Amino acid sequence: MTNITQPSDFPIIEQHSSKCVRVCQNRTCKKQGAVKVLAAFTALPIPGVTVTASSCLGQCGNGPMVLILPDMVWYSGVQPDEVSLLIENHLLGGERVKQMLYYRFHPQKSS
């Protein structure tokens, strides 16, 4: 008879929570430099982080747009030379880069 009450199955789900970086590659974001932003992310691979080209993220004119999942953190106007900052602070350090957050989804609170 096997012991069914072992909770050891549950932590496996947490270990599978990898991050995904989606970089919009639709028309407006492309015109704003999204191809170079995507290239900058792929040039600096991070274990456990998937970087993908995305279709339109629906925020045209505010790009290049970057969405980090599963965090649901949106960054706007991302430039290729800022990608290393996003990687270092958000993806590796777990801290949002406040000055790059997309204001519509992450309003700045005055404190």
Side-chain angles (χ1 to χ4, degrees), residues 14-73:
E14 289 180 31
Q15 292 172 353
H16 198 351
S17 62
S18 61
K19 292 196 185 297
C20 179
V21 176
R22 298 185 69 195
V23 182
C24 180
Q25 296 296 299
N26 210 38
R27 276 184 255 155
T28 308
C29 280
K30 263 188 168 172
K31 287 179 186 172
Q32 294 174 316
V35 173
K36 289 181 181 178
V37 173
L38 180 61
F41 271 108
T42 56
L44 300 167
I46 310 129
V49 176
T50 305
V51 176
T52 61
S54 173
S55 57
C56 185
L57 293 172
Q59 304 305 315
C60 300
N62 296 292
M65 294 300 299
V66 173
L67 171 59
I68 299 182
L69 300 170
D71 304 352
M72 286 303 293
V73 175

